[in-house]
Amino acid sequence: MTEVDAIIVGMGVGGEEVAGRLAEAGLEVLGIDGGLVGGECPYWGCIPSKMMIRAANLIADARRLEGVGGAVQITPDWTPVARRIRTEATDNWDDKVAVDRFTGKGGTFVRGRARLLGPGRVEVNGDEHTARKAIVLATGGAPTIPPIEGLAGTPYWTNREAIETETVPASLVVLGGGAIGVELAQVFARFGSKVSVVEAADRLLPAEEPEASETVHEALGEDDISMVTGRKAVKVAHDGREFTLSLDDGGSVRAEKLLVAVGRHAELGDLGLENVGLDPKGKGITVDGHMRAGERLWAVGDVTGHGQFTHVAMYQAAVAVRSILGQSGPPADYRALPRVTFTDPEVGAVGLTEAQAREAGLNVHVGTTQIPTSARGWIYGDGNEGVVKLIVDADRDLLVGATVAAPSGGETMGALAVAVYSEVPFSSMRHMMYAYPTFYRAIEDAAKHMT
């Protein structure tokens, strides 16, 4: 049995951040992970997927050149995309650089699956380890695989296989119209795949504003993507060459590949949570504002249920580090939690949707404007689809939520995230000066059309 100051179970982006910062602070830190240090984001998520999106968007922009600045012949080629993911983003899915980064700060790394034995006690690979100060759970999440008849045992894709592929399938059906599903659908369509998206909800991006869903639906349609909404998949068959996805209305969709992208979940059952008084069957680990989950126990990232985003995990990591080291600082605040769907156009959002604000009983005023009617949108031309939507608590004169679906919508949303977080009076936002001609100037137009 070994004893250290802190044990980090799960070395994804949140766990690696906690482990590294505690080691830099002089603590004796043990990091444990059965997978790759760095987690989903650098190997199968944020980084490689955005490389794919960047390449796909360049193809789309080249096609928009005609009538604006010339003409160009386009031959999509997946080879440089796959090569860049393999060599630049993932080191061929090797985490040596990440492991060395952590051990270079003084930490010790063990590869294996950890299980809690009790407060401050962890077992991995048959060895027991004790933490004097803290155990931090940061085990992330995994793709949710729905219990559809016939799906198990077929060679379906999750985001991992989609990221790792070295060829573009002739056809692809994407089960799930959330952020991951629509992003990857657009990528493969722009590289020549015949793509269909099936979403059980009545619209794509059901967690976002309806106006954003409509924008993305229209954009995907322009990429010749077929979309089926409001229908559930009831059966999957694979004949060795293609998939057949049967729907609850009797219809079906066929494709060479099937990408399952219906969401992600925290896997808690094998962590031994019952040994520290927590529910192993829960959807997440309940934490307080300082990420504490129990005696000498903290949790960060996807397992806390506060949003499956890298920026949430990194934010929570900073809060947890302060708490473990006894440093002062504010508790976690999710009022201005930002999120971006990296389609073309992007959908950037922060805070509450209109529906959430009304459900909370707020006196809601809403302002919207269409991006093509703005000066920058008109100048931009083809590809300028989008909308700005502002959600205001009229009683407090505060912006509580906003969505920007537009070219670089995630960047424009940044100004609105500051306003939500800092509780800038909305009357001040109405009267401030907005640079012309920018996309973010459309915020001023939306503010003028408040109802």
Side-chain angles (χ1 to χ4, degrees):
M1 183 175 71
T2 60
E3 185 174 277
V4 295
D5 292 315
I7 299 174
I8 314 303
V9 179
M11 292 285 284
V13 289
E16 184 185 3
E17 178 73 3
V18 172
R21 291 180 61 171
L22 292 180
E24 288 175 326
L27 271 63
E28 190 176 1
V29 181
L30 173 64
I32 304 171
D33 202 305
L36 300 182
V37 173
E40 200 77 5
C41 176
Y43 300 104
W44 299 283
C46 324
I47 304 302
S49 69
K50 302 312 169 285
M51 287 182 171
M52 294 163 64
I53 290 167
R54 169 62 173 160
N57 288 357
L58 284 173
I59 291 173
D61 282 343
R63 289 172 175 156
R64 292 166 179 152
L65 183 63
E66 188 172 351
V68 178
V72 64
Q73 284 190 321
I74 304 161
T75 305
D77 182 3
W78 189 254
T79 303
V81 181
R83 181 175 60 247
R84 190 179 182 205
I85 290 171
R86 188 170 56 253
T87 60
E88 295 181 33
T90 68
D91 287 337
N92 203 23
W93 291 275
D94 185 336
D95 65 350
K96 183 180 184 304
V97 170
V99 172
D100 290 348
R101 182 169 57 234
F102 171 57
T103 57
K105 296 175 181 178
T108 300
F109 177 67
V110 172
R111 200 178 303 277
R113 297 286 181 181
R115 181 175 175 81
L116 297 167
L117 299 177
R121 297 168 54 221
V122 168
E123 183 271 332
V124 60
N125 300 336
D127 298 322
E128 182 176 338
H129 305 274
T130 301
R132 289 182 288 264
K133 289 181 175 290
I135 291 177
V136 181
L137 302 177
T139 50
T144 296
I145 307 302
I148 300 173
E149 180 186 349
L151 178 61
T154 66
Y156 63 84
W157 281 0
T158 66
N159 63 295
R160 291 198 170 194
E161 289 77 18
I163 294 294
E164 291 179 6
T165 188
E166 296 195 11
T167 59
V168 173
S171 55
L172 172 71
V173 56
V174 180
L175 182 58
I180 295 173
V182 294
E183 287 178 359
L184 293 178
Q186 192 173 53
V187 165
F188 285 110
R190 288 178 169 182
F191 273 91
S193 185
K194 181 176 175 56
V195 179
S196 300
V197 177
V198 176
E199 168 56 49
D202 63 358
R203 57 188 174 90
L204 303 179
L205 298 179
E208 301 298 344
E209 295 282 12
E211 294 87 346
S213 297
E214 182 179 354
T215 297
V216 171
H217 191 108
E218 292 177 356
L220 266 57
E222 291 179 1
D223 286 312
D224 295 323
I225 296 172
S226 173
M227 288 157 283
V228 179
T229 57
R231 295 291 178 229
K232 294 182 180 180
V234 295
K235 187 176 180 180
V236 173
H238 186 257
D239 63 5
R241 292 180 295 111
E242 71 173 8
F243 285 87
T244 300
L245 191 68
S246 299
L247 308 179
D248 60 0
D249 65 348
S252 64
V253 183
R254 291 180 174 85
E256 177 188 345
K257 296 293 184 182
L258 168 64
L259 169 60
V260 178
V262 298
R264 297 178 63 83
H265 66 281
E267 292 186 319
L268 306 178
D270 59 352
L271 275 176
L273 294 178
E274 65 276 9
N275 296 325
V276 292
L278 299 178
D279 182 7
K281 297 180 180 180
K283 292 184 177 180
I285 298 173
T286 301
V287 294
D288 66 13
H290 298 280
M291 302 297 111
R292 288 185 292 252
E295 180 185 349
R296 281 182 287 169
L297 187 65
W298 284 256
V300 302
D302 293 1
V303 295
T304 67
H306 283 287
Q308 297 175 339
F309 303 104
T310 292
H311 49 272
V312 171
M314 296 291 284
Y315 172 79
Q316 291 180 330
V319 175
V321 167
R322 290 197 301 266
S323 178
I324 293 167
L325 296 178
Q327 299 171 345
S328 61
D333 182 349
Y334 304 102
R335 291 175 301 111
L337 195 159
R339 54 198 183 274
V340 182
T341 299
F342 290 89
T343 44
D344 175 19
E346 289 180 359
V347 178
V350 62
L352 302 177
T353 63
E354 179 183 356
Q356 290 169 336
R358 294 192 186 282
E359 288 169 7
L362 302 182
N363 179 12
V364 176
H365 286 190
V366 177
T368 61
T369 192
Q370 298 297 315
I371 291 296
T373 66
S374 69
R376 180 64 181 276
W378 176 76
I379 293 168
Y380 197 86
D382 189 17
N384 67 355
E385 300 88 354
V387 63
V388 174
K389 184 173 183 179
L390 309 178
I391 310 301
V392 173
D393 178 352
D395 291 342
R396 294 186 297 156
D397 188 36
L398 293 177
L399 186 73
V400 294
T403 294
V404 181
S408 301
E411 308 301 329
T412 302
M413 179 271 298
L416 297 167
V418 172
V420 173
Y421 181 78
S422 301
E423 297 188 334
V424 176
F426 188 67
S427 55
S428 296
M429 295 181 64
R430 284 178 180 270
H431 300 299
M432 66 179 281
M433 190 182 301
Y434 295 81
Y436 181 92
T438 60
F439 282 119
Y440 97 95
R441 187 177 171 86
I443 295 170
E444 180 181 37
D445 293 336
K448 289 179 180 178
H449 295 90
M450 189 66 55
T451 59

